[in-house]
């Protein structure tokens, strides 16, 4: 029997907060004890070695080398393949996936296109003033959560980085004012000093009204209201924004995927710009990224292709066009004839019309666990568990890179190795 080993400062890859203070005690290649893990993270670790995938071709058991070769054959013979997912794997695997897309003339897209992609498109228009979570923790005296609910989606975020954190200059909750803008009173809103209920689909109108007030102008109203709010309430919120010394706005999918979508985020980023016109005041903003390395998927794709997602290599060079080369559109319009899914479950998450097309084309999935997509995939490639049985690099929601350390052993290679092997077979064919 092996001795109990302790691994400290392990990074949890469940969400974009990437908490790197997890302590794990291991014995006989099993997790015996966890410290500092949130409720969601604890479930992730407790079930890590359960429901593992195995090499499969057309529902029949196979060998690892055979599934790699079959995947390469499918992609090589495809005229317009799709590579999709990427947000729950390492930057090394993402880098290899971009090379594979180039070799196979594929479209490559991440889950960002169905979550915070509109926010990234807004950044391309107006830019985004941001900071690290450490700087926000140390300095921000006003924290705004817009269309985001970190108490449930990122449980340790408030304790480590925002409301309840102990910063260098802002020591505790009483040093910070918290405002939540949302369509319903979420658990995060219940922790805030002020909850402002936004009429569904009216975020853009409210943001533009705040911009006008900040600029010293008066917005036009319908019966004295904007986005369901009295003008006086909006003016009071604007005054709080103006009185902050260091403000931070965290936005979620309640902003990026509703109403005006990318124009919502454009308006928020423009509001930040307006607030920063006063040099005595600083404002920053940050998306509340969901998947563990979804920020890394955009970063890695951008430094290799110049574009963050929705990239097409059919002309042997990268082309970018959200709405055309995004996974939902390609699948819903039945424009791809093969799909390689990496660390994702589109059958369980994409719109029905898009997910249905995956059943009509050769589909390959690379994932450590069984999911809805692997249930019908033509090729199932097992892989090691990121941050548990495989090391690598991931990017936190504030774009800070973190190294993953493995602490358990695994019989399967990691995603990066699998994608690289498929690429080599295509390149050398």
């Amino acid at each position: 029997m092996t001795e109990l080993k302790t691994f400290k400062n392990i990074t949890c890859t469940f969400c974009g907060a990437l908490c790197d203070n997890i302590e794990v005690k291991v014995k006989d290649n099993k997790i015996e004890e966890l410290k500092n893990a949130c409720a969601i993270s604890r479930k992730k670790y407790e079930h890590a070695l359960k429901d593992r995938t195995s090499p499969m071709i057309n529902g029949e058991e196979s060998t690892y080398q055979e599934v790699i070769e079959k995947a390469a054959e499918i992609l090589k013979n495809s005229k317009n393949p799709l590579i999709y997912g990427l947000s729950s794997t390492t930057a090394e695997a993402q880098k290899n996936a971009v090379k594979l897309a180039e070799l196979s003339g594929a479209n490559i897209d991440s889950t960002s296109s169905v979550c915070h992609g509109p926010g990234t498109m807004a950044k391309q228009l107006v830019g985004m003033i941001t900071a690290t979570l450490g700087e926000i923790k140390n300095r921000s005296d006003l924290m705004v959560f817009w269309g985001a609910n970190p108490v449930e989606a990122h449980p340790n975020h408030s304790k480590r980085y925002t409301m309840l954190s102990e910063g260098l200059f802002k020591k505790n909750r009483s040093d910070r004012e918290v405002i939540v803008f949302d369509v319903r009173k979420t658990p995060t809103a219940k922790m805030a000093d002020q909850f402002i209920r936004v009429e569904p689909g009216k975020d853009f109108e409210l943001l533009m009204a705040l911009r006008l007030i900040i600029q010293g102008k008066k917005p036009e109203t319908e019966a004295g209201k904007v986005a369901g709010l009295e003008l006086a309430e909006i003016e009071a919120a604007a005054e709080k924004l103006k009185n902050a010394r260091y403000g931070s706005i965290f936005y979620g999918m309640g902003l990026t995927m509703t109403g005006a979508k990318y124009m919502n985020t454009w308006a928020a980023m423009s509001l930040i710009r307006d607030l920063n016109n006063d040099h005595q005041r600083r404002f920053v903003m940050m998306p509340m990224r969901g998947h563990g390395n979804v920020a890394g998927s955009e970063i890695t794709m951008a430094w290799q292709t110049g574009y963050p997602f929705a990239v097409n290599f059919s002309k042997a060079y990268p082309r970018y066009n959200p709405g055309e080369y995004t996974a939902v559109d390609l699948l819903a319009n039945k424009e791809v004839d093969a799909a390689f899914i990496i660390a994702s479950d589109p059958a369980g998450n994409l719109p029905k019309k898009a997910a249905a097309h995956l059943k009509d084309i050769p589909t390959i999935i690379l994932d450590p666990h069984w999911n809805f997509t692997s249930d019908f995939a033509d090729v199932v490639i097992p892989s090691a568990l990121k941050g548990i049985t495989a090391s690598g690099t991931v990017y936190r929601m504030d774009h800070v890179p973190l190294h993953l350390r493995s602490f358990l052993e695994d019989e399967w290679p990691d995603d990066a190795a699998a994608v690289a092997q498929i690429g080599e077979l295509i390149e050398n064919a």
Side-chain angles (χ1 to χ4, degrees), residues 84 87 110-120 251-258 261 265 287-291 294-295 297-298 309 350:
Y84 175 73
S87 300
S110 74
T111 62
S112 182
S113 64
V114 293
C115 57
H116 279 276
T120 300
Y251 65 94
M253 288 174 60
L255 189 67
T256 64
M257 297 302 290
T258 60
K261 290 197 173 179
T265 323
M288 294 294 298
R289 305 307 298 253
H291 292 87
V294 64
S297 71
E298 290 188 355
F309 58 91
L350 293 189

Side-chain angles (χ1 to χ4, degrees), residues 33-87:
E33 187 178 332
L34 279 169
K35 288 184 179 180
N36 302 324
C38 70
I40 300 175
S41 173
R42 187 170 293 276
K43 286 293 183 182
K44 164 190 163 68
Y45 284 111
E46 288 175 353
H47 293 85
L49 300 179
K50 298 177 182 178
D51 299 321
R52 298 294 302 277
T53 50
S54 58
M56 304 280 285
I57 297 178
N58 297 325
E60 300 291 332
E61 290 187 8
S62 186
T63 66
Y64 185 81
Q65 187 57 35
E66 285 173 342
V67 294
I68 293 292
E69 291 173 357
K70 184 64 176 178
E73 177 188 329
I74 290 172
L75 292 174
K76 184 176 181 296
N77 294 332
S78 171
K79 293 182 179 179
N80 190 30
L82 167 68
I83 298 174
Y84 175 73
L86 302 171
S87 300

Side-chain angles (χ1 to χ4, degrees), residues 74-75 81-83 331 336-341 358 361-365:
I74 290 172
L75 292 174
L82 167 68
I83 298 174
L331 290 168
V336 291
D337 57 357
F340 183 17
I341 310 302
L358 288 170
I361 59 176
T363 297
I364 308 154
I365 185 166

Side-chain angles (χ1 to χ4, degrees), residues 109-235:
D109 190 30
S110 74
T111 62
S112 182
S113 64
V114 293
C115 57
H116 279 276
T120 300
M121 292 167 64
K123 279 189 275 186
Q124 294 169 333
L125 295 175
V126 74
M128 185 178 78
I129 300 168
T130 189
T132 65
L133 286 167
E135 181 177 325
I136 293 171
K137 166 184 173 178
N138 289 330
R139 297 180 181 276
S140 185
D141 59 345
L142 175 64
M143 295 178 173
V144 176
F145 294 90
W146 199 305
N149 182 22
V151 170
E152 291 186 310
H154 306 76
N156 275 347
H157 188 270
S158 60
K159 183 170 66 176
R160 283 177 56 80
Y161 307 120
T162 55
M163 292 183 275
L164 306 178
S165 62
E166 182 180 349
L168 185 62
F169 305 113
K170 304 300 174 185
K171 300 293 185 182
N172 50 49
R173 178 68 178 80
S174 62
D175 289 336
R176 307 174 176 105
E177 182 165 8
V178 178
I179 303 174
V180 170
F181 290 83
D182 216 319
V183 297
R184 63 185 180 89
K185 194 165 188 177
T186 63
T188 303
K190 292 175 183 177
M191 291 179 63
D193 296 292
Q194 183 180 7
F195 166 56
I196 298 177
R197 190 184 298 273
V198 184
E199 184 179 339
K202 296 293 185 179
D203 300 86
F204 180 80
E205 287 86 340
L206 179 53
L207 285 160
M208 293 304 291
L210 286 168
R211 289 193 66 199
L212 287 169
I213 295 168
I214 295 295
Q215 294 170 14
K217 303 171 185 176
K218 188 171 183 178
E220 294 183 5
T221 63
E222 293 182 10
K225 291 187 176 182
V226 176
L229 298 167
E230 297 288 345
L231 185 58
E233 187 176 358
I234 301 172
E235 289 173 337

